[in-house]
Amino acid sequence: MWTPWESEGSPGSPEATGPTKMLAVPEMGLQGLYSGSSPERSPVPSPPGSPRTQESCGIAPLTPSQSPKPEARAPQQAPFSVVVAIDFGTTSSGYAFSFASDPEAIHMMSFGYTARDYYHDLDPEEARDWLYFEKFKMKIHSATDLTLKTQLEAVNGKKMPALEVFAHALRFFKEHALQELRDQCPSLPEKDTVRWVLTVPAIWKQPAKQFMREAAYLAGLVSREDAEQLLIALEPEAASVYCRKLRLHQLVDLSSRAPGSGRLGERRSIDSSFRQAREQLRRSRHSRTFLVESGVGELWAEMQAGDRYVVADCGGGTVDLTVHQLEQPHGTLKELYKASGGPCGAVGVDLAFEQLLGRIFGEDFIATFKRQRPAAWVDLTIAFEARKRTAGPHRAGALNISLPFSFIDFYRKQRGHNVETALRRSSVNFVKWSSQGMLRMSCEAMNDLFQPTVSGIIQHIEALLERPEVQGVKLLFLVGGFAESAVLQHAVQAALGARGLRVVVPHDVGLTILKGAVLFGQAPGVVRVRRSPLTYGVGVLNRFVAGRHPPDKLLVRDGRRWCTDVFERFVAAEQSVALGEEVLRSYCPARPGQRRVLINLYCCAAEDARFITDPGVRKCGALSLELEPAEGGPHAADAPPSRREIRTAMQFGDTEIKVTAVDVSTNRSVRAAIDFLSN
């Protein structure tokens, strides 16, 4: 079976995507292991569930010792010749790159709707042998039990592993990008050349970020041994990084003030005209190349250290909000409040249209039509997408939406009457039947389809602005593909302009994240401080203290009294963590000869959780430590556990949680990985 993989389009010339063969997914998982520990209070990580149900677990805590304090280390980045960023979106995708020798030039590669158009042109019988997936990125955000075996459903109802779908798409980007790089620079070395950057919503949880990394491994972007060659970029952060480069003529100010008014825009650089002419000349020679500032743009040049702003990334699937403060006008950024938002992207408008069709023709009919005539359903969504993009708050006149002939014919066969009769019988009086064979909607009715999604976006922004950490914000950047919508722009300005908030939209708003992702790949340390969205820790045993610990947590073993299920915190929710800052903990094997240790990681929204059994605390991953034999022969690892200390260093300040470990007794590095996808 062959599969057309959708390369969802940014504006630009369509590229052929072609069918891709299916792949097998390797089985991946963790075996049951034992663990021991010794932070300051000498806790011991608990096995899954209460240790009292795991009597086979050997407990071997280290002698209590002073734990090293957290320290910050400068991230070590591997050399690279080119940065390739992939903006893997819900409704549009593309990639861009820049060479280290010319970082100001960002080469954009956009994609049309080749896979979608190919699928919709298939004969209905032939289409049954193909799998077409659309808007599948949202599955990763919405899945509460995301694993490597999570399934995706194609429009015809057939399923396959989500990991394979994502890997196929990423593999296409990889092959296309490498061919483009070879065409532009034949002398570019093949190995260790590319730093890859993948964009993800900032509100994604760690399992979803790990899922994208696993898909990248399966697609062959990088190997596990060269994991640092792949960076995960948070979409609103990438947009923020790019907005630092913008000049005034590259912005649209939705506020009532002119683009040049106010402190932020009073002064234009002397070289503005020259710079603009140079950019236009560059574009005329390379239509897909954008030139960015070597420093910062005029907007940023007028800002001061301490100024703060909001980036609202309105994409196809989510609205993603982040708040940044300038530590230095020309330097680094600090995240003031954890990423927030929700599933309020442009697909909500598509869903509203589907629900409208269900009201007119019956939800059961729409479900059957999608399943039995999937190519025709894609044809209908194409027609709606075209009209959706023309919607605006000041548009006059109705909009016509073409119904595929197969829809009209299928409805008559299923219901025994035609679609015009269905419209007359329906309670929906703002959709009529056109004599040209189309659905005719009033512009007010079209705008109404936007309202639930647009209202959700505004509510998220207003809730964020009420936070005490965000007081003093005067500037909001509206970015993402959905930010192109005149309906959204008008609603955001109307709701937030009264607050004195200046709403700014970059001219090329749909490509803002992609360009920013390239800049992030060039300098990932630009966001120096982030906020931990959750409290993270491990389940441990502590010495039982009567009157302090609940009696039902008492465990007596080998004459010693332990308190079970203690939540040992690594980092608290809302805590500021600097890039490269490490939290150190020490562990030991539970028994002689042990070759691996498994430590269960827990998280919660509360800062004061005491036990892993408290409400809201859930297991979110596992830390797997592989132990190498100590010096002195093959049986040296059989030494008493108290002599084998494994010191872990966990980093929370990056876009992903990272961990390294050292076997103190041998000074050798121990391979470690946090697994958020094993259930």
Side-chain angles (χ1 to χ4, degrees), residues 168 180 210 228 318 323 381 384 487-488 507:
H168 272 298
E180 183 70 21
Q210 183 187 338
E228 295 298 322
T318 59
V323 187
T381 62
F384 175 71
V487 176
L488 177 63
H507 276 168

Side-chain angles (χ1 to χ4, degrees), residues 258-465:
S261 67
R263 180 174 65 86
L264 295 175
E266 288 176 351
R267 191 180 69 216
R268 282 181 174 269
S269 301
I270 296 176
D271 69 337
S272 177
S273 298
F274 172 78
R275 182 75 178 190
Q276 188 172 1
R278 180 187 174 198
E279 183 173 351
Q280 291 174 346
L281 178 63
R282 185 66 174 263
R283 289 187 181 184
S284 69
R285 295 202 309 262
H286 304 284
S287 60
R288 295 176 298 183
T289 299
F290 292 81
L291 205 65
V292 298
E293 294 286 323
S294 57
V296 296
E298 294 157 310
L299 190 64
W300 247 253
E302 297 296 333
M303 297 177 76
Q304 301 174 357
D307 284 354
R308 46 187 65 180
Y309 59 93
V310 175
V311 176
D313 171 22
C314 304
T318 59
V319 57
D320 213 9
L321 308 175
T322 193
V323 187
H324 280 162
Q325 183 178 54
L326 275 71
E327 293 191 311
Q328 308 167 26
H330 301 273
T332 55
L333 303 173
K334 176 181 180 180
E335 185 181 34
L336 283 182
Y337 183 67
K338 66 180 181 180
S340 60
C344 299
V347 295
V349 184
D350 303 334
L351 179 59
F353 177 65
E354 183 177 335
Q355 292 170 342
L356 175 63
L357 293 177
R359 290 173 58 190
I360 298 172
F361 302 106
E363 294 180 1
D364 57 336
F365 169 77
I366 297 299
T368 302
F369 179 72
K370 289 174 63 177
R371 185 174 61 254
Q372 297 190 18
R373 297 290 188 271
W377 172 255
V378 172
D379 195 11
L380 178 53
T381 62
I382 293 173
F384 175 71
E385 178 71 23
R387 308 314 295 158
K388 182 178 74 172
R389 290 180 177 274
T390 66
H394 306 297
R395 178 189 171 95
L399 301 95
N400 291 328
I401 301 172
S402 299
L403 281 182
F405 172 77
S406 57
F407 184 98
I408 298 172
D409 182 63
F410 192 72
Y411 184 81
R412 183 169 54 247
K413 291 178 179 178
Q414 291 284 316
R415 292 292 199 256
H417 55 265
N418 58 32
V419 295
E420 185 176 2
T421 301
L423 281 164
R424 282 201 310 268
R425 295 177 178 177
S426 170
S427 60
V428 179
N429 55 16
F430 47 80
V431 179
K432 307 297 183 182
W433 180 246
S434 166
S435 59
Q436 291 83 19
M438 300 180 180
L439 295 179
R440 188 169 178 81
M441 290 182 66
S442 67
C443 56
E444 293 82 7
M446 174 63 81
N447 290 341
D448 285 344
L449 296 180
F450 283 76
Q451 291 316 304
T453 300
V454 170
S455 296
I457 291 173
I458 293 174
Q459 288 172 10
H460 279 294
I461 297 175
E462 289 180 332
L464 175 65
L465 294 175

Side-chain angles (χ1 to χ4, degrees), residues 22-318:
M22 290 188 179
L23 293 179
V25 181
E27 293 291 333
M28 308 180 71
L30 293 172
Q31 300 177 7
L33 303 172
Y34 299 96
S35 62
S37 169
S38 179
E40 291 183 29
R41 296 194 302 267
S42 186
V44 180
S46 307
S50 172
R52 286 166 290 180
T53 64
Q54 300 285 335
E55 292 301 324
S56 61
C57 178
I59 302 296
L62 288 171
T63 302
S65 59
Q66 184 69 32
S67 293
K69 295 181 179 179
E71 57 184 79
R73 298 181 181 178
Q76 299 298 316
Q77 301 295 340
F80 60 93
S81 301
V82 62
V83 171
V84 178
I86 300 174
D87 181 16
F88 197 97
T90 300
T91 57
S92 63
S93 298
Y95 75 89
F97 59 90
S98 69
F99 294 97
S101 58
D102 189 14
E104 297 177 25
I106 299 179
H107 307 268
M108 310 293 297
M109 300 298 297
S110 58
F111 294 90
Y113 292 85
T114 308
R116 185 191 68 181
D117 296 342
Y118 183 96
Y119 189 73
H120 115 83
D121 288 337
L122 292 173
D123 178 86
E125 293 299 322
E126 187 181 10
R128 294 177 181 178
D129 296 328
W130 292 74
L131 297 180
Y132 176 78
F133 298 90
E134 61 177 358
K135 304 177 179 67
F136 51 84
K137 182 180 175 183
M138 278 299 292
K139 176 69 175 180
I140 305 304
H141 172 72
S142 59
T144 56
D145 55 348
L146 180 66
T147 71
L148 295 176
K149 296 181 181 180
T150 295
Q151 298 278 306
L152 283 181
E153 184 174 329
V155 293
N156 61 1
K158 296 181 180 179
K159 295 182 179 181
M160 72 176 301
L163 190 69
E164 294 185 22
V165 178
F166 278 79
H168 272 298
L170 293 177
R171 186 179 299 107
F172 168 78
F173 283 120
K174 172 199 171 187
E175 293 171 355
H176 200 286
L178 292 180
Q179 183 59 52
E180 183 70 21
L181 291 174
R182 286 190 289 266
D183 292 344
Q184 290 205 25
C185 188
S187 62
L188 202 66
E190 290 287 334
K191 185 173 175 57
D192 300 329
T193 294
V194 179
R195 170 180 287 169
W196 297 92
V197 182
L198 282 181
T199 65
V200 302
I203 59 174
W204 270 15
K205 303 296 190 294
Q206 291 296 335
K209 295 176 186 176
Q210 183 187 338
F211 183 93
M212 288 298 292
R213 181 170 284 276
E214 293 292 341
Y217 292 150
L218 184 59
L221 261 68
V222 300
S223 66
R224 296 180 186 278
E225 291 72 24
D226 299 315
E228 295 298 322
Q229 201 173 340
L230 171 66
L231 299 179
I232 300 295
L234 307 183
E235 289 167 358
E237 282 194 0
S240 179
V241 170
Y242 175 68
C243 287
R244 296 167 71 242
K245 301 286 187 176
L246 290 173
R247 301 184 69 83
L248 295 180
H249 70 270
Q250 297 172 313
L251 299 169
V252 175
D253 192 341
L254 299 183
S255 65
S256 58
R257 291 177 293 172
S261 67
R263 180 174 65 86
L264 295 175
E266 288 176 351
R267 191 180 69 216
R268 282 181 174 269
S269 301
I270 296 176
D271 69 337
S272 177
S273 298
F274 172 78
R275 182 75 178 190
Q276 188 172 1
R278 180 187 174 198
E279 183 173 351
Q280 291 174 346
L281 178 63
R282 185 66 174 263
R283 289 187 181 184
S284 69
R285 295 202 309 262
H286 304 284
S287 60
R288 295 176 298 183
T289 299
F290 292 81
L291 205 65
V292 298
E293 294 286 323
S294 57
V296 296
E298 294 157 310
L299 190 64
W300 247 253
E302 297 296 333
M303 297 177 76
Q304 301 174 357
D307 284 354
R308 46 187 65 180
Y309 59 93
V310 175
V311 176
D313 171 22
C314 304
T318 59

Side-chain angles (χ1 to χ4, degrees), residues 503-558:
V503 182
V504 176
V505 182
H507 276 168
D508 53 349
V509 63
L511 300 176
T512 299
I513 292 169
L514 188 52
K515 294 177 183 178
V518 175
L519 298 175
F520 178 80
Q522 296 172 0
V526 64
V527 183
R528 195 189 66 82
V529 179
R530 291 184 174 89
R531 295 268 180 165
S532 178
L534 298 171
T535 298
Y536 289 96
V538 295
V540 301
L541 294 180
N542 272 347
R543 289 187 176 87
F544 187 86
V545 178
R548 176 183 171 189
H549 294 140
D552 62 343
K553 296 293 184 183
L554 174 62
L555 171 67
V556 179
R557 177 171 294 175
D558 298 329

Side-chain angles (χ1 to χ4, degrees), residues 544-679:
F544 187 86
V545 178
R548 176 183 171 189
H549 294 140
D552 62 343
K553 296 293 184 183
L554 174 62
L555 171 67
V556 179
R557 177 171 294 175
D558 298 329
R560 306 186 70 177
R561 293 161 58 87
W562 300 97
C563 179
T564 67
D565 300 335
V566 175
F567 185 86
E568 177 73 5
R569 189 175 69 187
F570 278 75
V571 65
E574 301 297 331
Q575 180 178 332
S576 292
V577 187
L579 182 66
E581 185 174 319
E582 296 179 335
V583 180
L584 304 179
R585 293 289 187 271
S586 294
Y587 303 93
C588 73
R591 50 188 170 78
Q594 189 168 322
R595 293 292 183 260
R596 283 192 288 180
V597 172
L598 180 67
I599 304 168
N600 290 309
L601 188 68
Y602 296 86
C603 64
C604 63
E607 301 179 23
D608 56 353
R610 296 182 60 201
F611 301 99
I612 62 174
T613 54
D614 286 354
V617 179
R618 60 184 179 86
K619 180 184 174 184
C620 61
L623 174 63
S624 179
L625 305 180
E626 295 187 11
L627 308 181
E628 299 178 359
E631 296 291 346
H635 302 292
D638 296 338
S642 59
R643 299 179 184 176
R644 193 70 181 267
E645 179 183 357
I646 308 301
R647 182 171 296 166
T648 64
M650 303 186 72
Q651 293 186 6
F652 291 91
D654 209 338
T655 58
E656 299 175 276
I657 297 177
K658 299 180 180 180
V659 61
T660 57
V662 175
D663 187 341
V664 176
S665 63
T666 63
N667 205 31
R668 292 180 178 178
S669 295
V670 179
R671 295 186 301 275
I674 295 181
D675 187 358
F676 289 97
L677 293 171
S678 290
N679 286 343

